[in-house]
């Protein structure tokens, strides 16, 4: 595998900075805009991205930004395409490349992610944008009988196949298996499910000959379900999360970035800080948050140009 990909992977997880997940699909971006009373139009989505990505000084805090495909071709208020704008700030642009989740036939309540067909051609098309890394997300729900081994296996194979294709096309893959925070499950249930998922993903990455030194894992923290009412302190979250990572991931992985997964900004930050205090780990860790970074700024902005300075601050 090219040393360039190893270098890019290391840059993406360089200490002291993280990765912004600004890759909401058009429908999900519409949900964010609706929170501000704004219509879901291409121009409002562009304004939303511009609010975030055109902030002065974000290069001090971000190694990379994951973009949605639409955003690759949109421009800032200054007429600069967003990937170029990020590069000018010393930030690596990336792109979400899966085509979303669909029902897993025969397995009620479970989802698989689509997009393997035609992936190589799509990746070749994105090259001209300047994107250097990619992301593919698979989700797993904790329930009485879920996640099933079949759902875990199918999604893990797709994640590994995606990662192999991405590397062949010259991109660093971010592999995102997310055990969802929604539900009434305990932290112990999440610990077990996350272990099973990461173990299978790690196994399939090896089987499909993915270069782990040029691969980043994006995963959930080990948390009780949102509606569980289980009271768990930050140190317990950190201890269980770090234990799951150590036991189920190869030490060769370039790094692990955490998703916020519906936590509020304070929770996501406190938990990350507690995890960081468990260092040293055999790989770099950092954040790849979306809502936990964006939501306070988005609500401050609410589409009003006069609110842009305060939102960016």
């Amino acid at each position: 595998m090219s040393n360039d990909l190893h270098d890019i992977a290391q840059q993406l997880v360089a200490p002291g900075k993280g990765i912004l997940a600004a890759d909401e699909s058009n429908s999900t971006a519409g949900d964010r805009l609706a929170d501000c009373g704004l219509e879901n139009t291409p121009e409002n989505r562009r304004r939303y991205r511009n609010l975030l990505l055109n902030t002065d000084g974000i290069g001090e805090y971000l190694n990379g930004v994951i973009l949605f495909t639409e955003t690759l071709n949109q421009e800032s208020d200054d007429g600069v395409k967003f990937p170029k704008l990020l590069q000018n700030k010393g930030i690596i642009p990336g792109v979400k490349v899966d085509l979303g989740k669909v029902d897993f036939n025969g397995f009620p309540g479970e989802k698989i992610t689509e997009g393997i067909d035609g992936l190589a051609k799509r990746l070749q098309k994105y090259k001209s944008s300047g994107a250097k890394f990619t992301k593919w997300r698979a989700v797993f729900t904790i329930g009485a009988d879920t996640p099933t081994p079949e759902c875990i296996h199918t999604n893990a194979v797709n994640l590994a196949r995606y990662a192999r294709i991405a590397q062949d096309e010259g991109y660093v893959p971010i592999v995102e298996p997310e055990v969802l925070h929604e539900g009434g499950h305990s932290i112990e249930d999440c610990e077990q499910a996350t272990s099973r998922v990461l173990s299978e993903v790690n196994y399939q990455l090896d089987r499909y000959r993915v270069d782990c030194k040029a691969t980043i894992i994006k995963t959930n923290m080990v948390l009780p379900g949102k509606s569980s009412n289980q009271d768990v302190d930050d140190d317990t979250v950190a201890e269980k999360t770090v234990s799951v990572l150590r036991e189920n991931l190869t030490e060769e992985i370039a790094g692990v970035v955490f998703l916020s997964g519906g936590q509020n900004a304070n929770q996501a930050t406190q938990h990350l800080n507690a995890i960081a205090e468990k260092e040293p780990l055999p790989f770099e860790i950092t954040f790849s948050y979306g809502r936990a970074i964006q939501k306070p700024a988005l609500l401050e902005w609410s589409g009003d140009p006069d609110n842009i300075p305060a939102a960016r601050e």
Side-chain angles (χ1 to χ4, degrees), residues 15-93:
K17 301 181 184 183
I19 298 170
L20 172 64
D23 60 331
E24 301 95 339
S25 66
N26 289 347
S27 61
T28 304
D31 295 339
R32 307 283 181 266
L33 292 168
D35 290 341
C36 300
L38 295 173
E39 192 181 347
N40 187 12
T41 64
E43 174 57 15
N44 279 341
R45 292 194 296 270
R46 188 203 66 79
R47 290 173 64 213
Y48 170 35
R49 311 298 193 198
N50 183 75
L51 169 78
L52 301 168
L53 305 182
N54 218 358
T55 299
D56 286 339
I58 56 170
E60 294 177 47
Y61 308 100
L62 297 178
N63 293 315
V65 175
I66 313 167
L67 302 172
F68 187 59
T69 47
E70 177 186 62
T71 316
L72 293 178
N73 294 308
Q74 288 181 324
E75 295 181 349
S76 70
D77 289 350
D78 314 319
V80 181
K81 285 204 170 175
F82 285 125
K84 182 65 175 171
L85 178 79
L86 292 172
Q87 288 173 325
N88 291 344
K89 295 174 181 287
I91 299 169
I92 303 171

Side-chain angles (χ1 to χ4, degrees), residues 155-164 167 173-177 197-218 248-250 253-254:
N155 274 308
V157 168
N158 283 344
L159 284 164
R161 290 182 63 200
Y162 139 74
R164 181 69 249 184
Q167 289 182 344
I174 291 184
V175 171
E176 181 179 0
V197 167
L198 289 182
S199 175
E200 182 69 10
V201 168
N202 191 69
Y203 172 67
Q204 296 299 343
L205 290 175
D206 182 59
R207 281 195 67 209
Y208 281 85
R209 303 175 184 181
V210 175
D211 182 356
C212 286
K213 291 179 181 175
T215 302
I216 294 167
I217 297 288
K218 177 172 178 175
N248 295 287
L249 290 180
T250 173
I253 209 81

Side-chain angles (χ1 to χ4, degrees), residues 2 15 23 28-29 55-56 63 70-72 99 117 137 151 159 174 187 196 198 211 245 259 293 295 304 313:
S2 164
D23 60 331
T28 304
T55 299
D56 286 339
N63 293 315
E70 177 186 62
T71 316
L72 293 178
L99 298 182
D117 290 347
R137 176 177 180 248
C151 179
L159 284 164
I174 291 184
I187 192 170
R196 290 169 58 212
L198 289 182
D211 182 356
L245 297 179
L259 52 92
I293 293 178
K295 190 170 184 178
D304 185 342
E313 183 63 29

